[in-house]
Amino acid sequence: MTFYTLKFIQNNQDANKTVWYILMIIATIAMVLFAVLYLRNRFTTRYRDLGIIALLFLLLFVGTRYEKYVQTNAQKSQSVQIVPFIKSVAKDFNVKNSDVMVNSTTLQDGIIVRIRPNKEDYQLNLNTDNNSYTLKRAHVIDHRVIVKN
């Protein structure tokens, strides 16, 4: 079971951005290069075709990047909801924020909350408007835990 700390949730970043930006830059440069070569010699249509292929790759990369951007924003908005919850649990149990771990990066009913000093696990039960919660003692079957800081 994987648990996430408050630090991990707040600092979770998309590491693949750089690769996508490099691919988009390469596709843009290729498209411009093939457009210039086509304009210099209009009878050679292979440059036009290669330019169109580069444009299609660029549109594919931009579309994929936009989809990932939308997903990341949705995930961040859900992660924003779990930060006050972790702080509230830490305050209720009189522990540091870093001692509270959850097994999900989004606030949802049924997640497992682990309080680190005594390693007790609790199951979260949220009310319908997510303004209050109850924690019920839970027992996990697999005690192997991966903690992502």
Side-chain angles (χ1 to χ4, degrees):
M1 183 178 291
T2 303
F3 282 93
Y4 305 96
T5 61
L6 180 63
K7 181 180 174 184
F8 177 83
I9 292 171
Q10 289 176 333
N11 295 330
N12 191 12
Q13 298 293 325
D14 187 12
N16 294 329
K17 283 184 196 177
T18 318
V19 174
W20 285 107
Y21 289 138
I22 290 172
L23 289 173
M24 284 191 289
I25 289 170
I26 290 172
T28 303
I29 291 170
M31 185 184 67
V32 170
L33 177 70
F34 292 134
V36 168
L37 289 173
Y38 172 71
L39 290 175
R40 286 181 64 195
N41 189 359
R42 291 184 189 262
F43 295 115
T44 307
T45 59
R46 71 174 164 203
Y47 295 127
R48 182 193 66 196
D49 296 341
L50 290 173
I52 290 171
I53 291 170
L55 174 66
L56 292 175
F57 273 120
L58 178 65
L59 291 175
L60 175 72
F61 295 145
V62 168
T64 306
R65 188 68 228 144
Y66 178 73
E67 180 184 350
K68 186 68 173 175
Y69 171 76
V70 169
Q71 287 176 351
T72 302
N73 279 347
Q75 183 181 11
K76 281 183 182 180
S77 69
Q78 291 174 343
S79 294
V80 168
Q81 296 172 349
I82 202 163
V83 171
F85 167 72
I86 292 174
K87 290 179 180 180
S88 173
V89 170
K91 184 178 179 182
D92 291 344
F93 282 87
N94 294 323
V95 295
K96 295 184 288 186
N97 291 340
S98 59
D99 290 336
V100 177
M101 299 177 289
V102 292
N103 72 336
S104 174
T105 57
T106 59
L107 187 63
Q108 56 191 351
D109 201 29
I111 64 173
I112 304 295
V113 179
R114 176 169 279 189
I115 311 297
R116 192 177 296 185
N118 50 11
K119 292 188 178 180
E120 290 182 348
D121 297 323
Y122 298 92
Q123 183 177 6
L124 172 66
N125 294 317
L126 291 168
N127 70 345
T128 55
D129 60 355
N130 291 354
N131 284 331
S132 65
Y133 62 89
T134 56
L135 292 175
K136 183 174 65 171
R137 185 83 160 100
H139 301 279
V140 295
I141 295 172
D142 187 6
H143 289 282
R144 290 178 297 194
V145 172
I146 300 168
V147 177
K148 293 195 177 185
N149 288 323

